[in-house]
Amino acid sequence: MWLYAVPLLLALFLLRRWHRERQTVPRLPEKHVLITGCDSGFGNLLARQLDACGLRVLAACLTEAGAAQLRAAASDRLQTVLLDVTSSKSIADVAAWVRERVGDRGLWGLVNNAGIAIPTAPNEWLTKEDFVKVLDVNLVGLVEVTLSLLPLVRRGRGRVVNVASVMGRVSFFGGGYCISKYGVEAFSDSLRLEMRNFGVKVCVIEPGYFNTMITNVENLENNFLSIWKKLPEEIRASYGESYLRQFVAMLKVLQKSYNSDLSLVTNCMEHALTSLHPRTRYSAGWDAKLLYLPISYLPSALSDALLTLFYPKSVGKA
């Protein structure tokens, strides 16, 4: 009996979830969505994707060139604004700009997408300022943008969509990036609980490795070489030139597995904004689903042993 009941219950559960997730929010063309980091990558594609769906997109770009390029590729509905998420004044100006456009309806969606990965390197190679540069954009900037716009999102009983990463589940390289993404996960969890009674849903996007400016191997390689040249001789002797070469070689191998279909991520973002019953977390990419997330549930001893198989080998001098 149980041999038949378990598969049947599982099938009914999956069917119910499929049905719930296909239900969309009514009156989408009346709703405003602000997206940060729209110059390129996920943010740029999402802005055009939501614009094509009829939503009122407010696209925040870092540069005027990025904003102009996006406006040329979208309808007249889409509006752009310049935003530096490390500047409190810039964030306050954008919050006022958004308030003027949404009025009493409030803001339906806030997508915190802006992010950087450089400087990145083994932790010992970096300075406090290197960590702060990444954390200011990926975590502190995200928090300040959210807090500045949260009253408008509450008024609209809308959605906050935060872009984390599988590196917010598994940290296997140094610098501020993984730390920031762990922070995004924690901030999103507490915010989700606090906003529940206000009818605001908080969703987290956890992409695997995709071919974007953040994962550009040439930029990362130049970053490593620049940091290596500034290291004290003692540290360089401890790691050895071979460590640097292996690190760069590992990047180039990893690049071959990058997914170029950015819509796998933006489709998750769109669902989080338009579904009547969005998920709490979205994993985008097969590497996220089949590799990094399963690794994150392993005992640390096992995950460490697995990840160090791919790590460069240092000279090992004290």
Side-chain angles (χ1 to χ4, degrees):
M1 172 71 77
W2 285 106
L3 290 176
Y4 297 102
V6 171
L8 179 60
L9 290 172
L10 178 61
L12 289 173
F13 168 77
L14 293 174
L15 182 63
R16 179 178 180 273
R17 191 176 78 161
W18 174 82
H19 174 69
R20 279 171 57 85
E21 291 190 345
R22 284 178 59 87
Q23 299 175 48
T24 57
V25 173
R27 301 190 299 278
L28 284 173
E30 301 174 10
K31 300 186 183 298
H32 289 82
V33 176
L34 176 71
I35 310 166
T36 68
C38 290
D39 298 76
S40 62
F42 301 137
N44 186 279
L45 178 58
L46 179 65
R48 292 184 279 116
Q49 191 169 320
L50 295 182
D51 179 60
C53 292
L55 277 83
R56 299 174 182 271
V57 177
L58 307 174
C61 300
L62 180 62
T63 66
E64 180 54 46
Q69 179 271 332
L70 180 55
R71 286 194 301 269
S75 75
D76 293 338
R77 280 190 311 274
L78 183 142
Q79 299 179 64
T80 61
V81 64
L82 297 185
L83 171 63
D84 177 358
V85 299
T86 66
S87 165
S88 295
K89 182 182 183 306
S90 179
I91 292 172
D93 290 345
V94 168
W97 180 84
V98 172
R99 193 175 299 111
E100 289 177 359
R101 278 146 186 80
V102 303
D104 294 335
R105 289 169 296 186
L107 182 64
W108 172 252
L110 168 61
V111 182
N112 284 304
N113 167 73
I116 62 172
I118 293 173
T120 184
N123 289 308
E124 192 178 10
W125 298 12
L126 299 169
T127 64
K128 172 188 171 182
E129 288 70 27
D130 292 329
F131 284 87
V132 168
K133 183 177 180 181
V134 177
L135 290 168
D136 273 351
V137 175
N138 294 5
L139 181 56
V140 179
L142 178 149
V143 170
E144 187 172 5
V145 168
T146 303
L147 297 181
S148 298
L149 291 163
L150 203 53
L152 295 176
V153 178
R154 279 196 292 103
R155 187 181 302 169
R157 298 176 67 84
R159 311 281 168 84
V160 177
V161 180
N162 291 330
V163 181
S165 168
V166 288
M167 295 298 103
R169 296 289 199 100
V170 181
S171 179
F172 68 85
F173 58 85
Y177 185 81
C178 295
I179 298 171
S180 70
K181 296 305 182 180
Y182 270 74
V184 169
E185 295 273 359
F187 175 65
S188 301
D189 283 347
S190 59
L191 187 67
R192 184 179 65 254
L193 295 174
E194 294 164 356
M195 290 294 105
R196 188 179 182 91
N197 287 337
F198 293 103
V200 173
K201 292 182 170 61
V202 179
C203 306
V204 181
I205 311 296
E206 300 172 331
Y209 275 91
F210 284 81
N211 193 9
T212 67
M213 288 301 295
I214 280 184
T215 57
N216 182 277
V217 168
E218 183 179 350
N219 291 342
L220 290 170
E221 183 176 356
N222 291 336
N223 152 79
F224 287 132
L225 294 173
S226 174
I227 292 171
W228 175 262
K229 291 174 183 176
K230 297 175 185 175
L231 290 176
E233 184 58 39
E234 177 190 357
I235 293 180
R236 284 194 285 182
S238 295
Y239 284 83
E241 292 272 356
S242 62
Y243 190 96
L244 177 64
R245 290 195 297 270
Q246 290 174 56
F247 218 111
V248 173
M250 181 181 70
L251 273 178
K252 292 180 177 178
V253 171
L254 191 62
Q255 183 185 30
K256 296 177 182 178
S257 68
Y258 288 176
N259 198 321
S260 59
D261 186 3
L262 304 190
S263 67
L264 293 176
V265 178
T266 58
N267 287 344
C268 292
M269 296 172 170
E270 181 184 336
H271 188 272
L273 292 163
T274 62
S275 174
L276 203 57
H277 305 285
R279 301 181 187 180
T280 299
R281 282 179 167 80
Y282 293 83
S283 300
W286 288 112
D287 58 339
K289 291 180 172 68
L290 300 181
L291 179 61
Y292 296 111
L293 291 184
I295 286 176
S296 73
Y297 291 109
L298 292 176
S300 295
L302 288 179
S303 62
D304 287 355
L306 181 62
L307 293 174
T308 50
L309 292 174
F310 305 97
Y311 241 70
K313 302 298 183 287
S314 63
V315 173
K317 294 181 181 177

